[in-house]
Amino acid sequence: SNYTWASKSRTFFSDYSGRVDHQFNSNLKAYGSYTYNYQSGLQRPTSIAGPDFDGANGFNAPFTQQNASAGVTKLFGPTALNDMRVGFYRLRNDTFVPSYNKDWAGQLGIPNDSPLLFPSFSGTMASGNSTAPALNTAYGLTVDGPSRQIRQPITFRDDFSKIVSTHAFKMRYEYLHFRGNYFQLGKPSG
């Protein structure tokens, strides 16, 4: 009963997208758009009977991203044009670990270890032997901690063009604001 295999994963996607354009008159038009993407992040079924012990497959990592934008284009006579746009993008990527905060070290009687994750066990071989199991495989029973990544760029741009005789003048203002939040527990249990 030590057979292992790479089983199929069950991942579900939801994608929605919409856009509205409107021309108020020959000199003014606007648009708005929104896109939503979601992935369930269900990994392959665990190779070990208890998902708490499987560091390779026993976790979920859902992924969500959203994008919204709007813009207005205005003609000021035949020689001037202004184009203004605003945009927002949000990405969220989580990793949920089944063994998180279950005090496995205490349940197994292992002193002086963090109660946050299942303790790491890895096969140790003689020095110089490269056949030791990788730390992120089910064989080594090593579990990574939960994590969360959120990024939110916000943009604003205004372009103005003016034609005077045989000359074209262009001006642009652009504002970019990036916000990022990242949390990763790592391997507090060894």
Side-chain angles (χ1 to χ4, degrees):
S1 67
N2 60 357
Y3 176 70
T4 185
W5 70 97
S7 46
K8 297 176 182 177
S9 66
R10 292 172 52 87
T11 302
F12 299 93
F13 295 87
S14 296
D15 296 312
Y16 304 97
S17 186
R19 178 177 167 126
V20 174
D21 290 273
H22 184 71
Q23 184 158 345
F24 296 96
N25 55 48
S26 59
N27 295 328
L28 180 64
K29 64 181 181 178
Y31 85 93
S33 69
Y34 177 75
T35 302
Y36 174 85
N37 307 108
Y38 173 77
Q39 177 181 325
S40 65
L42 298 175
Q43 303 300 311
R44 290 185 172 97
T46 182
S47 299
I48 298 175
D52 286 3
F53 312 135
D54 191 346
N57 297 321
F59 63 93
N60 292 333
F63 173 86
T64 305
Q65 62 183 356
Q66 301 173 73
N67 188 14
S69 66
V72 176
T73 303
K74 170 83 171 146
L75 280 171
F76 298 96
T79 61
L81 171 73
N82 193 72
D83 186 47
M84 181 178 66
R85 296 176 185 238
V86 62
F88 173 77
Y89 174 74
R90 185 172 198 267
L91 167 91
R92 178 172 174 161
N93 193 0
D94 290 290
T95 301
F96 299 105
V97 179
S99 73
Y100 179 64
N101 218 11
K102 292 185 179 176
D103 191 19
W104 272 105
Q107 292 182 49
L108 296 173
I110 301 172
N112 304 320
D113 198 7
S114 172
L116 294 178
L117 293 175
F118 185 78
S120 298
F121 296 98
S122 181
T124 55
M125 304 291 182
S127 178
N129 189 334
S130 62
T131 60
L135 290 179
N136 63 348
T137 65
Y139 303 109
L141 294 178
T142 298
V143 179
D144 285 327
S147 66
R148 172 175 293 146
Q149 178 183 9
I150 299 175
R151 291 185 303 204
Q152 293 182 168
I154 299 170
T155 62
F156 173 78
R157 189 182 87 202
D158 192 26
D159 295 306
F160 181 75
S161 302
K162 173 76 175 165
I163 297 175
V164 178
S165 184
T166 59
H167 302 284
F169 298 93
K170 294 185 177 187
M171 297 186 315
R172 169 187 269 189
Y173 173 79
E174 188 167 20
Y175 173 78
L176 303 170
H177 180 75
F178 295 94
R179 295 190 312 185
N181 186 355
Y182 188 71
F183 162 77
Q184 183 175 17
L185 186 60
K187 298 180 181 178
S189 301

